[in-house]
Amino acid sequence: MSATPHKNRASRRVLAAAAGLATVGALVAAMPADAQSRDQGLGNHEPASTVDVQLLSFNDLHGNLEPPAGSAGTVTEQQADGTTKTIPAGGVEYLASSLRTARQGHPYSITAAGGDMVGASPLLSGLFHDEPTIEALNKIDLDVTTVGNHEFDEGATELARLQNGGCHPVEGCYEQGTTFQGADFPYLAANVTDEKTGRPILKPYTVWKKNGVKIGFIGVTLEGTPNIVTANGVKGLKFHDEIETVNKYAKELDRQGVKSIVALIHEGGAPASSSYNYDCDSPGAGDGISGPIVDIAKGISPKVDALVTGHTHQAYVCTVPDPAGNPRLVTSASSFGKLYTDTTLTYDRRTQDIVRTSVKSSSFSNPTSTNHIVTRDQPRATDMTALIARWNTLAAPIASRPQGYISADINGRGSTAPEKPLGNLIADAQLEGLAPADKGGAVVALMNPGGIRADLVYKSTGSEGDGVVTYGEAFTVQPFTNMMNVVDLTGAQLITALQQQVSGSNEASPKILQVSRGLTYTLDMKKTGAARVVVDTIKLNGAAIDPAKTYRVAMNEFLAGGGDGFAALGQGTNKLVGASDLDLFNAYLSAHSSAAAPLAPPVTDRITVVQ
């Protein structure tokens, strides 16, 4: 961590105990006080009756300090003639420049985030337990963020360390003579409570104040976080309904005289177009967006004036009517720092509330709230360039180590198909590593699509040369370092697991497992629910799956715990714990590629999809 002072922001800390907040492990440590504005001098003029407050927001950064590579580092822009254009975007050097430029001329400016600032991070941040990202966010002058599900990847105690500071309990301090100072901004977790005490593990809300202007922020993550995070990450915690929680604290803020309220919600929706400037209010308010955030927005109290959302990695600026039927802004800024949202909240000093008619977006040309691209043709923020260089120096001995060679891009995160080339590669690596009898005797491997965090990109990202896969690039694809499990499942349980991809909690948004070589079946998307999986087509190495037979199945510990709605996979027995998913991935790349014979993208012919 840099020895540079945190601009006196750390002096705003108060004891968490004084705030009466519950703790889990290290959550008894110090917490930041309510966020304050950085700009204090407005002269001695009589204040106007209304004040335009600028709200800058982004979400799902996931520790992407350097510009994301490949398709993960682009945004789609809709052109006036109906065509689309792909634009490179992201990287904290450019995000910092964009935010600092946007703040100019706005004495009342707040920067807020919608969660998943860390977790599933590239090696540059993940290798150091995301300390580099927290340092970058401090320098960017983030005022507040909610927790996302990935803030719990390493558990509540590690989340507390990110908030409060201190060196890692196992790996210690990464730079001689420095101690990690923690986040200068409050992490909010209104709907996450200690199972024993029933109290929030972090501050449920904070109030931003400046010259009599007060705006409250309530932060929640999706109630379903335990279904998408490993069991150890959420141990001892309870996650509550988003609507009920926000409404509860909106009432509390209202009683304190805070009438202007913004909800930071780590849950999102899916716009009808992938273009960041798509008008999701055409022809009517919110007509062009679907997903969980729509019902959440419709249920949250009218006391809340705007919703900053995330989780789905989508870009939208929509209005969804509140329970009183009034338009209310709902925004999301894609992911990986590729976009930021600039919203104008008009604050009425007389009512101390936001003038809601100004918080709407009838079209993407409406200046009230707009998503902006974090372009890479602007000057880089020099402090971020120095930060990246410093941490890269520490990471270089590990990050630059070659693991294998590829002949072309192998798409994972960037593929929209149910069966992804990189998914096949990962599943094959897991099967090969765990097939030997002494390694588990696996006959098939399954990989959750959400665990594939990037593409393998042919073009060099450093000095390694085109086609070289470095440890850092492999880590970016598989950053969780999940331990692999091999378990006994009956054929019936395996069939049920395949059906759970497209039914139950996954029916509205299917999660198609990536399968290893030899497993084939047909997915009929013209049907509904479990019937989408054509059972009599499921075969392993050409033989029909026998419901009564036992199969040894490899999967990561997240799936083996029933994660992502795959309860059937959680019923496995005779578990053997193997190497990590990353170790198996790297071993496969090394064994199956060389500079003279690089690995080609796998053919995607295992799942036949009927549309």
Side-chain angles (χ1 to χ4, degrees):
M1 194 77 186
S2 170
T4 303
H6 280 254
K7 299 179 262 222
N8 297 320
R9 299 181 84 202
S11 66
R12 302 201 311 260
R13 298 178 186 274
V14 295
L15 290 177
L21 299 180
T23 62
V24 176
L27 289 171
V28 297
M31 305 279 292
D34 289 346
Q36 303 289 331
S37 173
R38 293 172 293 278
D39 184 3
Q40 296 297 327
L42 289 183
N44 299 316
H45 300 293
E46 187 73 21
S49 59
T50 62
V51 175
D52 282 346
V53 178
Q54 179 189 58
L55 175 61
L56 302 175
S57 56
F58 58 98
N59 51 275
D60 295 277
L61 181 62
H62 289 287
N64 279 265
L65 302 179
E66 296 178 296
S71 61
T74 63
V75 296
T76 302
E77 182 178 68
Q78 182 177 313
Q79 305 298 296
D81 62 1
T83 61
T84 58
K85 179 181 179 182
T86 299
I87 301 173
V92 296
E93 295 162 291
Y94 304 110
L95 178 61
S97 290
S98 290
L99 294 175
R100 289 165 183 170
T101 299
R103 290 178 189 135
Q104 293 175 11
H106 295 276
Y108 293 85
S109 184
I110 313 167
T111 303
D116 276 6
M117 294 295 97
V118 301
S121 304
L123 185 76
L124 179 61
S125 188
L127 184 63
F128 305 106
H129 297 275
D130 284 309
E131 289 182 21
T133 295
I134 298 298
E135 180 186 354
L137 292 171
N138 286 342
K139 291 178 180 292
I140 283 176
D141 286 327
L142 181 63
D143 286 301
V144 58
T145 185
T146 186
V147 294
N149 53 287
H150 281 284
E151 263 81 19
F152 295 94
D153 283 348
E154 296 188 51
T157 301
E158 175 62 8
L159 173 57
R161 189 182 73 86
L162 293 181
Q163 175 73 93
N164 302 312
C167 296
H168 192 270
V170 175
E171 297 178 18
C173 299
Y174 295 113
E175 293 180 298
Q176 187 174 359
T178 63
T179 299
F180 175 55
Q181 296 181 29
D184 282 348
F185 51 90
Y187 260 112
L188 304 181
N191 69 329
V192 187
T193 59
D194 183 333
E195 282 185 344
K196 293 180 179 178
T197 67
R199 301 167 102 182
I201 62 165
L202 289 167
K203 297 181 68 161
Y205 58 81
T206 191
V207 179
W208 181 93
K209 301 175 183 176
K210 179 174 180 179
N211 297 329
V213 175
K214 295 185 294 185
I215 299 180
F217 289 85
I218 303 168
V220 296
T221 187
L222 69 154
E223 184 181 9
T225 291
N227 299 323
I228 54 176
V229 174
T230 57
N232 283 339
V234 295
K235 188 175 181 181
L237 306 178
K238 187 171 183 181
F239 293 76
H240 302 268
D241 181 83
E242 304 95 333
I243 297 173
E244 292 176 4
T245 302
V246 172
N247 289 351
K248 170 187 173 181
Y249 288 109
K251 284 183 181 178
E252 187 169 316
L253 283 167
D254 185 64
R255 286 194 300 268
Q256 295 175 12
V258 179
K259 307 296 183 182
S260 300
I261 302 172
V262 175
L264 307 176
I265 303 175
H266 192 70
E267 178 60 290
S273 168
S274 61
S275 296
Y276 83 94
N277 54 347
Y278 163 70
D279 178 9
C280 59
D281 281 349
S282 178
D287 282 350
I289 187 171
S290 60
I293 198 60
V294 177
D295 288 336
I296 291 173
K298 290 178 178 177
I300 284 179
S301 166
K303 294 180 187 299
V304 176
D305 298 296
L307 279 60
V308 172
T309 72
H311 186 55
T312 57
H313 292 203
Q314 301 297 308
Y316 47 83
V317 175
C318 305
T319 51
V320 178
D322 68 15
N326 297 318
R328 181 166 55 193
L329 192 68
V330 181
T331 73
S332 176
S334 185
S335 62
F336 302 167
K338 293 180 290 187
L339 298 176
Y340 71 93
T341 311
D342 190 336
T343 301
T344 300
L345 304 174
T346 301
Y347 182 91
D348 188 325
R349 288 187 180 275
R350 181 181 58 81
T351 63
Q352 298 184 321
D353 205 350
I354 300 300
V355 181
R356 184 74 72 79
T357 54
S358 71
V359 186
K360 64 180 181 179
S361 178
S362 59
S363 73
F364 62 75
S365 62
N366 189 319
T368 299
S369 185
T370 308
N371 274 330
H372 296 280
I373 304 176
V374 176
T375 60
R376 299 182 193 168
D377 58 1
Q378 62 183 309
R380 303 181 187 190
T382 56
D383 57 339
M384 294 298 156
T385 303
L387 180 150
I388 289 170
R390 204 179 83 245
W391 286 103
N392 261 331
T393 299
L394 291 176
I398 296 173
S400 60
R401 200 164 60 221
Q403 301 298 309
Y405 302 83
I406 57 176
S407 62
D409 288 358
I410 303 180
N411 286 339
R413 196 74 177 182
S415 170
T416 57
E419 181 184 351
K420 308 174 191 304
L422 189 50
N424 287 356
L425 177 60
I426 291 170
D428 288 350
Q430 294 175 352
L431 177 61
E432 181 171 294
L434 299 172
D438 62 338
K439 303 295 184 183
V443 296
V444 65
L446 306 173
M447 174 65 191
N448 56 307
I452 306 169
R453 304 304 299 186
D455 305 329
L456 282 184
V457 179
Y458 176 79
K459 185 175 176 57
S460 174
T461 57
S463 60
E464 75 275 10
D466 292 347
V468 179
V469 179
T470 64
Y471 185 91
E473 291 165 340
F475 185 97
T476 299
V477 169
Q478 296 243 264
F480 299 109
T481 318
N482 276 318
M483 301 309 293
M484 292 299 300
N485 291 182
V486 184
V487 299
D488 282 350
L489 288 176
T490 65
Q493 289 170 324
L494 185 55
I495 291 168
T496 298
L498 294 178
Q499 292 172 328
Q500 286 171 344
Q501 300 175 112
V502 289
S503 63
S505 61
N506 292 331
E507 180 163 5
S509 182
K511 291 185 174 69
I512 307 303
L513 295 166
Q514 307 299 288
V515 299
S516 57
R517 185 184 296 110
L519 183 64
T520 57
Y521 69 96
T522 295
L523 198 58
D524 188 348
M525 297 307 291
K526 293 186 294 185
K527 298 181 180 179
T528 59
R532 290 169 166 170
V533 175
V534 184
V535 173
D536 60 9
T537 67
I538 305 174
K539 295 181 180 180
L540 182 60
N541 299 320
I545 294 290
D546 182 349
K549 185 178 175 181
T550 297
Y551 298 85
R552 292 290 283 169
V553 182
M555 67 195 85
N556 60 43
E557 59 187 317
F558 170 67
L559 282 178
D564 265 354
F566 292 101
L569 298 182
Q571 298 169 356
T573 57
N574 296 326
K575 179 172 69 175
L576 182 145
V577 178
S580 75
D581 51 8
L582 180 60
D583 285 345
L584 293 181
F585 185 47
N586 282 330
Y588 189 88
L589 289 171
S590 177
H592 291 273
S593 68
S594 67
L599 195 65
V603 175
T604 51
D605 58 358
R606 302 170 190 183
I607 305 172
T608 301
V609 181
V610 178
Q611 298 286 4

